[in-house]
Amino acid sequence: VRQIIPLGGVQDAALRAQYEDMHRNCVAMLSDALHAFTHLDSREATEVWNRDDAVDAQCDSINRRLVGFMREHPEKLERYM
């Protein structure tokens, strides 16, 4: 997470915070999913599955912000392609 934004030239603290929040949510979901699997807990598995839409929304929001950055600063992208 910490290397993605600097490599793209994005210096946006709010975007970094969104990435870090999404990262924490994904790690928690993975941990909870593994716990549910190893304990055969269908209730917990369902709860993890229900949280997936929130992570998808976070990802969509981040992608929209990045596309906006690319449109505003195309000169910063060429050197990374």
Side-chain angles (χ1 to χ4, degrees), residues 2-4 6-7 9 14 20 27 29 32 34-35 39 44 49 51-53 60-61 64 66-67 70 72 77 80:
R2 297 191 192 290
Q3 295 179 7
I4 293 171
L7 288 175
E20 291 174 354
V27 169
M29 285 177 60
D32 293 346
L34 291 171
H35 184 269
H39 292 89
E44 185 177 12
W49 181 59
R51 292 179 356 223
D52 186 59
D53 287 338
D60 291 344
S61 175
R64 281 191 299 276
L66 287 173
V67 168
M70 289 186 276
E72 292 173 17
L77 301 174
Y80 298 106

PDB file of all heavy atoms in Angstrom, residues 2-4 6-7 9 14 20 27 29 32 34-35 39 44 49 51-53 60-61 64 66-67 70 72 77 80:
ATOM      1  N   ARG A   2       1.904   1.274   0.798  1.00  0.00           N
ATOM      2  CA  ARG A   2       2.723   2.474   0.924  1.00  0.00           C
ATOM      3  C   ARG A   2       3.508   2.783  -0.346  1.00  0.00           C
ATOM      4  O   ARG A   2       3.895   3.911  -0.565  1.00  0.00           O
ATOM      5  CB  ARG A   2       3.667   2.352   2.105  1.00  0.00           C
ATOM      6  CG  ARG A   2       2.924   2.249   3.416  1.00  0.00           C
ATOM      7  CD  ARG A   2       3.861   2.385   4.581  1.00  0.00           C
ATOM      8  NE  ARG A   2       3.242   2.009   5.834  1.00  0.00           N
ATOM      9  CZ  ARG A   2       2.301   2.683   6.456  1.00  0.00           C
ATOM     10  NH1 ARG A   2       1.847   3.786   5.939  1.00  0.00           N
ATOM     11  NH2 ARG A   2       1.794   2.271   7.588  1.00  0.00           N
ATOM     12  N   GLN A   3       3.752   1.791  -1.183  1.00  0.00           N
ATOM     13  CA  GLN A   3       4.533   2.024  -2.385  1.00  0.00           C
ATOM     14  C   GLN A   3       3.691   2.335  -3.608  1.00  0.00           C
ATOM     15  O   GLN A   3       4.192   2.897  -4.556  1.00  0.00           O
ATOM     16  CB  GLN A   3       5.408   0.812  -2.668  1.00  0.00           C
ATOM     17  CG  GLN A   3       6.446   0.591  -1.594  1.00  0.00           C
ATOM     18  CD  GLN A   3       7.285  -0.624  -1.865  1.00  0.00           C
ATOM     19  OE1 GLN A   3       7.178  -1.236  -2.925  1.00  0.00           O
ATOM     20  NE2 GLN A   3       8.108  -1.000  -0.915  1.00  0.00           N
ATOM     21  N   ILE A   4       2.424   2.030  -3.588  1.00  0.00           N
ATOM     22  CA  ILE A   4       1.587   2.228  -4.773  1.00  0.00           C
ATOM     23  C   ILE A   4       1.442   3.704  -5.109  1.00  0.00           C
ATOM     24  O   ILE A   4       1.662   4.121  -6.226  1.00  0.00           O
ATOM     25  CB  ILE A   4       0.193   1.593  -4.573  1.00  0.00           C
ATOM     26  CG1 ILE A   4       0.332   0.079  -4.505  1.00  0.00           C
ATOM     27  CG2 ILE A   4      -0.751   1.990  -5.699  1.00  0.00           C
ATOM     28  CD1 ILE A   4      -0.938  -0.625  -4.107  1.00  0.00           C
ATOM     29  N   PRO A   6       3.212   6.565  -4.131  1.00  0.00           N
ATOM     30  CA  PRO A   6       4.381   7.295  -4.600  1.00  0.00           C
ATOM     31  C   PRO A   6       4.810   6.885  -6.008  1.00  0.00           C
ATOM     32  O   PRO A   6       5.252   7.719  -6.782  1.00  0.00           O
ATOM     33  CB  PRO A   6       5.452   6.952  -3.570  1.00  0.00           C
ATOM     34  CG  PRO A   6       4.697   6.618  -2.341  1.00  0.00           C
ATOM     35  CD  PRO A   6       3.423   5.959  -2.834  1.00  0.00           C
ATOM     36  N   LEU A   7       4.680   5.609  -6.362  1.00  0.00           N
ATOM     37  CA  LEU A   7       5.079   5.176  -7.698  1.00  0.00           C
ATOM     38  C   LEU A   7       4.237   5.836  -8.776  1.00  0.00           C
ATOM     39  O   LEU A   7       4.701   6.076  -9.865  1.00  0.00           O
ATOM     40  CB  LEU A   7       4.984   3.655  -7.823  1.00  0.00           C
ATOM     41  CG  LEU A   7       6.052   2.869  -7.078  1.00  0.00           C
ATOM     42  CD1 LEU A   7       5.782   1.380  -7.181  1.00  0.00           C
ATOM     43  CD2 LEU A   7       7.433   3.194  -7.611  1.00  0.00           C
ATOM     44  N   GLY A   9       2.976   8.835  -8.463  1.00  0.00           N
ATOM     45  CA  GLY A   9       3.115  10.280  -8.359  1.00  0.00           C
ATOM     46  C   GLY A   9       1.971  10.962  -7.639  1.00  0.00           C
ATOM     47  O   GLY A   9       1.877  12.176  -7.604  1.00  0.00           O
ATOM     48  N   ALA A  14      -5.637  12.054   1.542  1.00  0.00           N
ATOM     49  CA  ALA A  14      -6.965  11.444   1.654  1.00  0.00           C
ATOM     50  C   ALA A  14      -7.019  10.133   0.874  1.00  0.00           C
ATOM     51  O   ALA A  14      -7.607   9.149   1.337  1.00  0.00           O
ATOM     52  CB  ALA A  14      -8.044  12.410   1.164  1.00  0.00           C
ATOM     53  N   GLU A  20      -5.307   2.784   2.788  1.00  0.00           N
ATOM     54  CA  GLU A  20      -4.970   2.116   4.033  1.00  0.00           C
ATOM     55  C   GLU A  20      -6.213   1.544   4.717  1.00  0.00           C
ATOM     56  O   GLU A  20      -6.163   0.445   5.272  1.00  0.00           O
ATOM     57  CB  GLU A  20      -4.204   3.068   4.947  1.00  0.00           C
ATOM     58  CG  GLU A  20      -2.817   3.354   4.398  1.00  0.00           C
ATOM     59  CD  GLU A  20      -2.045   4.400   5.174  1.00  0.00           C
ATOM     60  OE1 GLU A  20      -2.619   5.021   6.098  1.00  0.00           O
ATOM     61  OE2 GLU A  20      -0.870   4.601   4.844  1.00  0.00           O
ATOM     62  N   VAL A  27      -7.639  -7.153   4.942  1.00  0.00           N
ATOM     63  CA  VAL A  27      -6.895  -8.055   5.816  1.00  0.00           C
ATOM     64  C   VAL A  27      -7.830  -8.638   6.881  1.00  0.00           C
ATOM     65  O   VAL A  27      -7.788  -9.845   7.171  1.00  0.00           O
ATOM     66  CB  VAL A  27      -5.691  -7.330   6.461  1.00  0.00           C
ATOM     67  CG1 VAL A  27      -5.064  -8.153   7.567  1.00  0.00           C
ATOM     68  CG2 VAL A  27      -4.660  -6.991   5.387  1.00  0.00           C
ATOM     69  N   MET A  29     -11.071  -9.022   6.644  1.00  0.00           N
ATOM     70  CA  MET A  29     -11.992  -9.959   5.995  1.00  0.00           C
ATOM     71  C   MET A  29     -11.301 -11.293   5.724  1.00  0.00           C
ATOM     72  O   MET A  29     -11.904 -12.359   5.923  1.00  0.00           O
ATOM     73  CB  MET A  29     -12.528  -9.369   4.689  1.00  0.00           C
ATOM     74  CG  MET A  29     -13.575  -8.305   4.890  1.00  0.00           C
ATOM     75  SD  MET A  29     -14.125  -7.578   3.334  1.00  0.00           S
ATOM     76  CE  MET A  29     -14.780  -8.988   2.485  1.00  0.00           C
ATOM     77  N   ASP A  32     -10.971 -13.105   9.003  1.00  0.00           N
ATOM     78  CA  ASP A  32     -12.277 -13.598   9.437  1.00  0.00           C
ATOM     79  C   ASP A  32     -12.769 -14.748   8.557  1.00  0.00           C
ATOM     80  O   ASP A  32     -13.389 -15.702   9.048  1.00  0.00           O
ATOM     81  CB  ASP A  32     -13.306 -12.466   9.442  1.00  0.00           C
ATOM     82  CG  ASP A  32     -13.000 -11.405  10.494  1.00  0.00           C
ATOM     83  OD1 ASP A  32     -12.169 -11.649  11.391  1.00  0.00           O
ATOM     84  OD2 ASP A  32     -13.596 -10.310  10.407  1.00  0.00           O
ATOM     85  N   LEU A  34     -10.863 -16.924   6.965  1.00  0.00           N
ATOM     86  CA  LEU A  34     -10.101 -18.117   7.329  1.00  0.00           C
ATOM     87  C   LEU A  34     -10.586 -18.694   8.659  1.00  0.00           C
ATOM     88  O   LEU A  34     -10.675 -19.914   8.816  1.00  0.00           O
ATOM     89  CB  LEU A  34      -8.611 -17.788   7.392  1.00  0.00           C
ATOM     90  CG  LEU A  34      -7.960 -17.488   6.039  1.00  0.00           C
ATOM     91  CD1 LEU A  34      -6.546 -16.966   6.232  1.00  0.00           C
ATOM     92  CD2 LEU A  34      -7.982 -18.708   5.139  1.00  0.00           C
ATOM     93  N   HIS A  35     -10.897 -17.821   9.589  1.00  0.00           N
ATOM     94  CA  HIS A  35     -11.431 -18.273  10.875  1.00  0.00           C
ATOM     95  C   HIS A  35     -12.765 -18.996  10.667  1.00  0.00           C
ATOM     96  O   HIS A  35     -12.998 -20.073  11.234  1.00  0.00           O
ATOM     97  CB  HIS A  35     -11.599 -17.083  11.826  1.00  0.00           C
ATOM     98  CG  HIS A  35     -12.052 -17.474  13.183  1.00  0.00           C
ATOM     99  ND1 HIS A  35     -13.390 -17.548  13.533  1.00  0.00           N
ATOM    100  CD2 HIS A  35     -11.346 -17.836  14.279  1.00  0.00           C
ATOM    101  CE1 HIS A  35     -13.476 -17.928  14.790  1.00  0.00           C
ATOM    102  NE2 HIS A  35     -12.256 -18.106  15.280  1.00  0.00           N
ATOM    103  N   HIS A  39     -13.343 -23.032  11.368  1.00  0.00           N
ATOM    104  CA  HIS A  39     -14.298 -23.383  12.413  1.00  0.00           C
ATOM    105  C   HIS A  39     -15.675 -23.785  11.858  1.00  0.00           C
ATOM    106  O   HIS A  39     -16.629 -23.959  12.619  1.00  0.00           O
ATOM    107  CB  HIS A  39     -14.449 -22.229  13.411  1.00  0.00           C
ATOM    108  CG  HIS A  39     -13.222 -22.008  14.219  1.00  0.00           C
ATOM    109  ND1 HIS A  39     -12.206 -21.173  13.807  1.00  0.00           N
ATOM    110  CD2 HIS A  39     -12.829 -22.537  15.400  1.00  0.00           C
ATOM    111  CE1 HIS A  39     -11.249 -21.184  14.708  1.00  0.00           C
ATOM    112  NE2 HIS A  39     -11.593 -22.009  15.682  1.00  0.00           N
ATOM    113  N   GLU A  44     -20.419 -16.617  10.472  1.00  0.00           N
ATOM    114  CA  GLU A  44     -19.281 -15.703  10.308  1.00  0.00           C
ATOM    115  C   GLU A  44     -18.914 -15.554   8.833  1.00  0.00           C
ATOM    116  O   GLU A  44     -18.601 -14.458   8.375  1.00  0.00           O
ATOM    117  CB  GLU A  44     -18.072 -16.187  11.111  1.00  0.00           C
ATOM    118  CG  GLU A  44     -16.918 -15.207  11.069  1.00  0.00           C
ATOM    119  CD  GLU A  44     -15.738 -15.627  11.926  1.00  0.00           C
ATOM    120  OE1 GLU A  44     -15.682 -16.790  12.393  1.00  0.00           O
ATOM    121  OE2 GLU A  44     -14.857 -14.778  12.124  1.00  0.00           O
ATOM    122  N   TRP A  49     -18.879 -12.191   3.869  1.00  0.00           N
ATOM    123  CA  TRP A  49     -19.406 -12.019   2.513  1.00  0.00           C
ATOM    124  C   TRP A  49     -20.204 -10.723   2.403  1.00  0.00           C
ATOM    125  O   TRP A  49     -20.080  -9.989   1.428  1.00  0.00           O
ATOM    126  CB  TRP A  49     -20.263 -13.234   2.153  1.00  0.00           C
ATOM    127  CG  TRP A  49     -20.856 -13.204   0.795  1.00  0.00           C
ATOM    128  CD1 TRP A  49     -20.198 -13.125  -0.395  1.00  0.00           C
ATOM    129  CD2 TRP A  49     -22.248 -13.264   0.482  1.00  0.00           C
ATOM    130  NE1 TRP A  49     -21.094 -13.143  -1.432  1.00  0.00           N
ATOM    131  CE2 TRP A  49     -22.364 -13.221  -0.919  1.00  0.00           C
ATOM    132  CE3 TRP A  49     -23.387 -13.354   1.250  1.00  0.00           C
ATOM    133  CZ2 TRP A  49     -23.585 -13.261  -1.557  1.00  0.00           C
ATOM    134  CZ3 TRP A  49     -24.603 -13.403   0.604  1.00  0.00           C
ATOM    135  CH2 TRP A  49     -24.690 -13.351  -0.785  1.00  0.00           C
ATOM    136  N   ARG A  51     -19.716  -8.008   4.016  1.00  0.00           N
ATOM    137  CA  ARG A  51     -18.812  -6.850   4.071  1.00  0.00           C
ATOM    138  C   ARG A  51     -18.114  -6.602   2.742  1.00  0.00           C
ATOM    139  O   ARG A  51     -17.524  -5.534   2.531  1.00  0.00           O
ATOM    140  CB  ARG A  51     -17.768  -7.047   5.174  1.00  0.00           C
ATOM    141  CG  ARG A  51     -18.417  -7.015   6.538  1.00  0.00           C
ATOM    142  CD  ARG A  51     -17.510  -7.214   7.735  1.00  0.00           C
ATOM    143  NE  ARG A  51     -16.116  -7.508   7.552  1.00  0.00           N
ATOM    144  CZ  ARG A  51     -15.456  -8.424   8.259  1.00  0.00           C
ATOM    145  NH1 ARG A  51     -16.075  -9.139   9.182  1.00  0.00           N
ATOM    146  NH2 ARG A  51     -14.172  -8.618   8.065  1.00  0.00           N
ATOM    147  N   ASP A  52     -18.177  -7.542   1.840  1.00  0.00           N
ATOM    148  CA  ASP A  52     -17.478  -7.415   0.559  1.00  0.00           C
ATOM    149  C   ASP A  52     -17.972  -6.224  -0.257  1.00  0.00           C
ATOM    150  O   ASP A  52     -17.175  -5.558  -0.921  1.00  0.00           O
ATOM    151  CB  ASP A  52     -17.609  -8.700  -0.243  1.00  0.00           C
ATOM    152  CG  ASP A  52     -16.770  -8.665  -1.506  1.00  0.00           C
ATOM    153  OD1 ASP A  52     -15.541  -8.496  -1.388  1.00  0.00           O
ATOM    154  OD2 ASP A  52     -17.359  -8.781  -2.594  1.00  0.00           O
ATOM    155  N   ASP A  53     -19.251  -5.935  -0.219  1.00  0.00           N
ATOM    156  CA  ASP A  53     -19.783  -4.798  -0.980  1.00  0.00           C
ATOM    157  C   ASP A  53     -19.165  -3.482  -0.528  1.00  0.00           C
ATOM    158  O   ASP A  53     -18.908  -2.596  -1.341  1.00  0.00           O
ATOM    159  CB  ASP A  53     -21.303  -4.722  -0.873  1.00  0.00           C
ATOM    160  CG  ASP A  53     -21.994  -5.815  -1.673  1.00  0.00           C
ATOM    161  OD1 ASP A  53     -21.367  -6.358  -2.610  1.00  0.00           O
ATOM    162  OD2 ASP A  53     -23.156  -6.126  -1.357  1.00  0.00           O
ATOM    163  N   ASP A  60     -13.907   1.092  -5.810  1.00  0.00           N
ATOM    164  CA  ASP A  60     -14.472   1.914  -6.886  1.00  0.00           C
ATOM    165  C   ASP A  60     -14.178   3.392  -6.658  1.00  0.00           C
ATOM    166  O   ASP A  60     -13.824   4.114  -7.587  1.00  0.00           O
ATOM    167  CB  ASP A  60     -15.985   1.702  -6.998  1.00  0.00           C
ATOM    168  CG  ASP A  60     -16.356   0.328  -7.518  1.00  0.00           C
ATOM    169  OD1 ASP A  60     -15.479  -0.365  -8.089  1.00  0.00           O
ATOM    170  OD2 ASP A  60     -17.527  -0.066  -7.351  1.00  0.00           O
ATOM    171  N   SER A  61     -14.294   3.839  -5.428  1.00  0.00           N
ATOM    172  CA  SER A  61     -14.023   5.232  -5.099  1.00  0.00           C
ATOM    173  C   SER A  61     -12.556   5.581  -5.357  1.00  0.00           C
ATOM    174  O   SER A  61     -12.236   6.624  -5.936  1.00  0.00           O
ATOM    175  CB  SER A  61     -14.382   5.503  -3.641  1.00  0.00           C
ATOM    176  OG  SER A  61     -14.014   6.807  -3.266  1.00  0.00           O
ATOM    177  N   ARG A  64     -11.922   5.799  -9.091  1.00  0.00           N
ATOM    178  CA  ARG A  64     -12.425   7.054  -9.657  1.00  0.00           C
ATOM    179  C   ARG A  64     -11.461   8.201  -9.370  1.00  0.00           C
ATOM    180  O   ARG A  64     -11.182   9.024 -10.243  1.00  0.00           O
ATOM    181  CB  ARG A  64     -13.810   7.377  -9.112  1.00  0.00           C
ATOM    182  CG  ARG A  64     -14.935   6.600  -9.763  1.00  0.00           C
ATOM    183  CD  ARG A  64     -16.312   7.153  -9.387  1.00  0.00           C
ATOM    184  NE  ARG A  64     -16.568   7.100  -7.957  1.00  0.00           N
ATOM    185  CZ  ARG A  64     -17.020   6.043  -7.303  1.00  0.00           C
ATOM    186  NH1 ARG A  64     -17.271   4.928  -7.960  1.00  0.00           N
ATOM    187  NH2 ARG A  64     -17.239   6.090  -6.004  1.00  0.00           N
ATOM    188  N   LEU A  66      -8.244   7.966  -8.815  1.00  0.00           N
ATOM    189  CA  LEU A  66      -7.021   7.772  -9.596  1.00  0.00           C
ATOM    190  C   LEU A  66      -7.223   8.151 -11.060  1.00  0.00           C
ATOM    191  O   LEU A  66      -6.347   8.756 -11.678  1.00  0.00           O
ATOM    192  CB  LEU A  66      -6.533   6.327  -9.481  1.00  0.00           C
ATOM    193  CG  LEU A  66      -5.926   5.966  -8.136  1.00  0.00           C
ATOM    194  CD1 LEU A  66      -5.636   4.466  -8.074  1.00  0.00           C
ATOM    195  CD2 LEU A  66      -4.665   6.762  -7.865  1.00  0.00           C
ATOM    196  N   VAL A  67      -8.361   7.807 -11.615  1.00  0.00           N
ATOM    197  CA  VAL A  67      -8.649   8.196 -13.004  1.00  0.00           C
ATOM    198  C   VAL A  67      -8.691   9.717 -13.109  1.00  0.00           C
ATOM    199  O   VAL A  67      -8.154  10.302 -14.054  1.00  0.00           O
ATOM    200  CB  VAL A  67      -9.958   7.554 -13.507  1.00  0.00           C
ATOM    201  CG1 VAL A  67     -10.410   8.176 -14.813  1.00  0.00           C
ATOM    202  CG2 VAL A  67      -9.790   6.051 -13.658  1.00  0.00           C
ATOM    203  N   MET A  70      -5.178  10.926 -13.141  1.00  0.00           N
ATOM    204  CA  MET A  70      -4.531  10.666 -14.431  1.00  0.00           C
ATOM    205  C   MET A  70      -4.984  11.668 -15.483  1.00  0.00           C
ATOM    206  O   MET A  70      -4.186  12.097 -16.313  1.00  0.00           O
ATOM    207  CB  MET A  70      -4.815   9.243 -14.888  1.00  0.00           C
ATOM    208  CG  MET A  70      -4.092   8.206 -14.062  1.00  0.00           C
ATOM    209  SD  MET A  70      -4.282   6.530 -14.704  1.00  0.00           S
ATOM    210  CE  MET A  70      -5.849   6.076 -13.991  1.00  0.00           C
ATOM    211  N   GLU A  72      -5.975  14.755 -14.875  1.00  0.00           N
ATOM    212  CA  GLU A  72      -5.445  16.071 -14.527  1.00  0.00           C
ATOM    213  C   GLU A  72      -3.933  16.160 -14.701  1.00  0.00           C
ATOM    214  O   GLU A  72      -3.404  17.245 -14.933  1.00  0.00           O
ATOM    215  CB  GLU A  72      -5.789  16.403 -13.069  1.00  0.00           C
ATOM    216  CG  GLU A  72      -7.265  16.622 -12.829  1.00  0.00           C
ATOM    217  CD  GLU A  72      -7.579  16.786 -11.348  1.00  0.00           C
ATOM    218  OE1 GLU A  72      -6.652  17.058 -10.553  1.00  0.00           O
ATOM    219  OE2 GLU A  72      -8.760  16.631 -10.986  1.00  0.00           O
ATOM    220  N   LEU A  77       2.311  10.404 -15.702  1.00  0.00           N
ATOM    221  CA  LEU A  77       2.086   8.985 -15.943  1.00  0.00           C
ATOM    222  C   LEU A  77       3.042   8.375 -16.948  1.00  0.00           C
ATOM    223  O   LEU A  77       3.399   7.224 -16.860  1.00  0.00           O
ATOM    224  CB  LEU A  77       0.648   8.762 -16.409  1.00  0.00           C
ATOM    225  CG  LEU A  77      -0.428   9.235 -15.448  1.00  0.00           C
ATOM    226  CD1 LEU A  77      -1.780   9.099 -16.098  1.00  0.00           C
ATOM    227  CD2 LEU A  77      -0.357   8.456 -14.157  1.00  0.00           C
ATOM    228  N   TYR A  80       6.058   6.222 -16.015  1.00  0.00           N
ATOM    229  CA  TYR A  80       5.804   4.942 -15.360  1.00  0.00           C
ATOM    230  C   TYR A  80       5.245   3.893 -16.307  1.00  0.00           C
ATOM    231  O   TYR A  80       4.972   2.786 -15.897  1.00  0.00           O
ATOM    232  CB  TYR A  80       4.834   5.132 -14.185  1.00  0.00           C
ATOM    233  CG  TYR A  80       5.407   6.049 -13.132  1.00  0.00           C
ATOM    234  CD1 TYR A  80       4.924   7.340 -12.988  1.00  0.00           C
ATOM    235  CD2 TYR A  80       6.439   5.634 -12.322  1.00  0.00           C
ATOM    236  CE1 TYR A  80       5.451   8.192 -12.029  1.00  0.00           C
ATOM    237  CE2 TYR A  80       6.982   6.471 -11.372  1.00  0.00           C
ATOM    238  CZ  TYR A  80       6.487   7.752 -11.227  1.00  0.00           C
ATOM    239  OH  TYR A  80       7.024   8.590 -10.292  1.00  0.00           O
TER     240      TYR A  80
END
